[in-house]
Amino acid sequence: PTAAALQWLTPEQTAGGDFPFLFTQSQAVLARTWIPLQDSPGIRFTYNATIHCPANLMAVMSAENDTTLHNDGAYTFKMPQAVPSYLMALAVGNLKFHSYDHRSGVYAEPVTIEKAAYEFEDMPKMIAAAEELYGPYAWGRYDVLVLPPSFPFGGMENPRLTFATPTILAGDRSLVALVAHELAHSWSGNLVTNATWDDFWLNEGFTVYFETRIMEKLYGKEYADMLTVLSKGELENTIKELGPTNKDSHLYLDLKGRDPDDGMSDIAYEKGRFFLTTIEEAVGRNRWDDFLKKYFAEHAFQSITTEMFLEYLNKELIKDDKALAEKININAWVYGPGLPANCPAVTSTALKIAEDDAKAFIAGTKTPEQIDSKNWNTHQWLSFLRALPENISVDQMVALDKQFHFTASNNSEIKCDWLLLVIHSKYKAGYAALEDFLCHVGRRKFVKPLYEAMILTDDGKEMALKIYSKARAGYHPVTTQTIDEILNYQTK
Ligand code: BES
Ligand code: ZN
């Protein structure tokens, strides 16, 4: 009952409200809390499982699934391919399945299934694009399970069955890069696995790179560049927060004696991705893609360290080309802090327009009515919101809200960025929405910065504690562990 990987949800904590729900989250080191095993990403196993649950609920695992409800509540699973422990996953709930084609579909609660089915309709195309890039999908089926809103992550690449937050159901398919990301892990991470959590960037950096390539193939370079520009902005903030010499900004981490969860940041994701983009630009896309294809094929179902990867890179790609090695500067990327000087530049005209409009509004040279935002997508809105300063005035918040209705937004990404401004500006008309958001959503990426922003002032700290005392029971242990620490929250 108290295993930290598990969250047992009451019916009220689900979207439908009628049935309880259970799900697991094993990465990074929580598999050991619900299964006795050797919990290291350097060790793999196959497994069989039998699950008994109430007859009206469906059980699913990161294993072979027949996608149907069993009237006796008995389910057997087989995972014939060897996987590391952090990919063990189980969920039980009132689930429906929507099929896209012979090998992919989506599970969700009945009240969510239609919305989910619409949102992820491009999944078969994503799988095909991924295969075209880096070789056949190795796991048979690829399905997505949409969880209740307390799921602590955006997505989790459980083999054959990605777990996903419902906060990506924006209604306009604008947040589906997350599916491309979790799908990409079917190669980087699940086939070729980081041997230790110090090598975490081998999982996430490769996956962000691969995700971006899938997005570019499906939606074009301009669209993919929007996502990359926003991510680079987040990376620059992380590096600023970590400071110029912090070893947690190295790609190769040193997590000795720590909970790996504490040292994982978007360094692995975004610095990792830009390192790979640097290599791509240095050798050309064709050579790089050939290399990657071979890398995945030759290391399939194995765990790999950073040193092993660099050796392979030298042997297969860099060879004795000293000029190329100098141009890439592996040492600075992997064993040094911050962003190396040769980090590729990336720009987006569409995002720049939104950013400039935000600045013009703050400077008083444009009113909200004069901003031509009719055709903006989610990413342009994020660019707009991120260009607004923390010291924005309440009057300015009122004017923006009146024109653009941010407080009422149903897009979780836009909402979260807006709520940060609500906190910074003490815009009281947004407080109810803030509390409501924090009491319904448990995705750590959203709730963490909101609590962090609140505790910067005395009033805010009081508000944070008041909200948290209500919201905490609805969060998964992954999230409560983080927020307990931020708020110095004492449990009896
Ligand atoms: N594997 C990660 C989630 C994770 C990492 C869980 C480390 C526990 C420890 C997953 O693939 C991931 O990266 N999810 C991201 C979304 C992605 C689009 C960047 C998330 O949850 O926000
Ligand atoms: Zn990932």
Side-chain angles (χ1 to χ4, degrees):
T2 59
L6 308 184
Q7 191 179 4
W8 303 88
L9 303 179
T10 63
E12 299 73 45
Q13 292 170 313
T14 66
D18 295 324
F19 299 94
F21 202 103
L22 165 68
F23 69 84
T24 66
Q25 168 57 43
S26 295
Q27 197 181 9
V29 291
L30 301 178
R32 64 192 68 175
T33 71
W34 67 292
I35 312 172
L37 42 61
Q38 289 181 287
D39 196 5
S40 157
I43 298 166
R44 308 177 88 88
F45 52 79
T46 58
Y47 70 88
N48 297 311
T50 304
I51 304 288
H52 295 275
C53 67
N56 49 0
L57 303 184
M58 198 193 291
V60 290
M61 288 192 83
S62 52
E64 286 179 13
N65 270 306
D66 66 9
T67 76
T68 63
L69 181 77
H70 297 186
N71 291 322
D72 58 355
Y75 294 81
T76 56
F77 300 93
K78 193 170 88 185
M79 180 39 121
Q81 291 143 307
V83 290
S85 54
Y86 74 91
L87 296 176
M88 283 293 292
L90 165 70
V92 179
N94 180 23
L95 294 175
K96 268 211 147 41
F97 180 72
H98 174 94
S99 166
Y100 291 124
D101 65 5
H102 63 287
R103 61 168 170 176
S104 67
V106 56
Y107 295 90
E109 290 184 61
V111 294
T112 313
I113 191 71
E114 213 175 300
K115 196 168 184 204
Y118 172 81
E119 207 77 22
F120 306 142
E121 200 141 81
D122 282 346
M123 252 167 64
K125 281 192 219 155
M126 284 184 177
I127 303 170
E131 289 189 310
E132 245 172 75
L133 281 166
Y134 301 127
Y137 179 73
W139 305 89
R141 294 196 60 86
Y142 179 75
D143 297 317
V144 170
L145 166 66
V146 177
L147 289 141
S150 65
F151 186 61
F153 292 105
M156 179 63 215
E157 67 271 27
N158 299 131
R160 302 174 58 100
L161 183 63
T162 283
F163 282 23
T165 170
T167 62
I168 55 169
L169 302 176
D172 60 4
R173 302 180 178 168
S174 62
L175 303 177
V176 297
L178 185 134
V179 175
H181 178 97
E182 304 312 334
L183 170 66
H185 272 306
S186 307
W187 287 258
S188 44
N190 298 5
L191 266 192
V192 185
T193 308
N194 52 207
T196 78
W197 296 121
D198 288 341
D199 307 298
F200 184 52
W201 78 275
L202 291 177
N203 273 21
E204 298 300 342
F206 276 73
T207 297
V208 173
Y209 176 82
F210 192 171
E211 162 200 347
T212 306
R213 292 293 301 277
I214 295 171
M215 294 305 284
E216 181 181 325
K217 239 171 146 44
L218 257 64
Y219 309 109
K221 182 161 166 26
E222 248 176 70
Y223 190 86
D225 282 351
M226 284 193 223
L227 305 179
T228 304
V229 168
L230 287 172
S231 300
K232 195 173 185 192
E234 291 170 34
L235 172 63
E236 283 162 351
N237 288 339
T238 300
I239 288 175
K240 219 178 280 161
E241 276 162 34
L242 289 174
T245 59
N246 195 318
K247 288 196 166 164
D248 284 348
S249 74
H250 296 196
L251 280 182
Y252 181 61
L253 295 170
D254 181 6
L255 297 169
K256 193 177 270 141
R258 297 160 77 188
D259 182 335
D261 203 45
D262 295 340
M264 291 171 167
S265 67
D266 47 354
I267 293 294
Y269 291 78
E270 294 300 333
K271 185 177 175 181
R273 171 255 288 282
F274 283 112
F275 174 42
L276 302 183
T277 312
T278 303
I279 305 175
E280 181 204 317
E281 291 186 1
V283 302
R285 186 167 271 195
N286 288 338
R287 259 178 85 194
W288 174 239
D289 280 351
D290 289 345
F291 166 83
L292 275 184
K293 214 170 185 166
K294 193 161 168 216
Y295 167 71
F296 288 129
E298 288 186 0
H299 298 87
F301 298 103
Q302 295 172 37
S303 298
I304 185 164
T305 63
T306 298
E307 274 304 311
M308 286 159 73
F309 168 70
L310 294 179
E311 234 168 76
Y312 187 76
L313 181 72
N314 273 317
K315 182 171 98 108
E316 295 288 329
L317 201 62
I318 299 181
K319 299 179 177 152
D320 290 323
D321 191 337
K322 288 221 173 68
L324 177 60
E326 226 166 87
K327 194 168 176 199
I328 298 172
N329 199 357
I330 290 176
N331 260 325
W333 280 97
V334 178
Y335 303 111
L339 256 193
N342 63 347
C343 183
V346 48
T347 56
S348 159
T349 316
L351 293 193
K352 183 74 169 49
I353 290 170
E355 182 186 331
D356 287 346
D357 278 343
K359 288 180 178 154
F361 167 71
I362 292 297
T365 55
K366 249 189 187 180
T367 65
E369 299 78 33
Q370 288 167 334
I371 294 171
D372 181 15
S373 62
K374 266 192 315 297
N375 298 316
W376 283 6
N377 63 24
T378 297
H379 317 294
Q380 288 172 285
W381 283 115
L382 294 177
S383 177
F384 180 84
L385 289 168
R386 288 173 192 182
L388 297 170
E390 285 186 7
N391 67 1
I392 185 171
S393 72
V394 170
D395 287 346
Q396 287 169 323
M397 292 289 287
V398 171
L400 290 176
D401 212 7
K402 181 163 170 258
Q403 181 70 14
F404 303 124
H405 312 292
F406 289 121
T407 300
S409 172
N410 285 320
N411 182 300
S412 60
E413 295 280 349
I414 292 172
K415 183 91 160 215
C416 182
D417 275 8
W418 174 252
L419 291 175
L420 283 170
L421 293 166
V422 164
I423 295 166
H424 289 133
S425 66
K426 305 200 164 90
Y427 174 53
K428 297 213 165 49
Y431 284 4
L434 172 64
E435 178 164 342
D436 183 69
F437 187 79
L438 288 170
C439 287
H440 287 100
V441 174
R443 184 175 173 188
R444 187 170 66 176
K445 180 188 113 167
F446 292 146
V447 306
K448 180 174 179 238
L450 291 170
Y451 284 109
E452 279 172 340
M454 278 192 275
I455 59 166
L456 293 179
T457 64
D458 287 348
D459 291 2
K461 174 131 206 218
E462 200 177 303
M463 175 158 74
L465 284 168
K466 197 187 109 218
I467 296 175
Y468 191 51
S469 65
K470 268 198 236 172
R472 189 178 185 279
Y475 294 157
H476 183 278
V478 160
T479 298
T480 56
Q481 199 190 326
T482 300
I483 310 300
D484 282 355
E485 225 167 87
I486 290 170
L487 299 183
N488 208 349
Y489 190 87
Q490 309 290 345
T491 51
K492 307 137 243 156

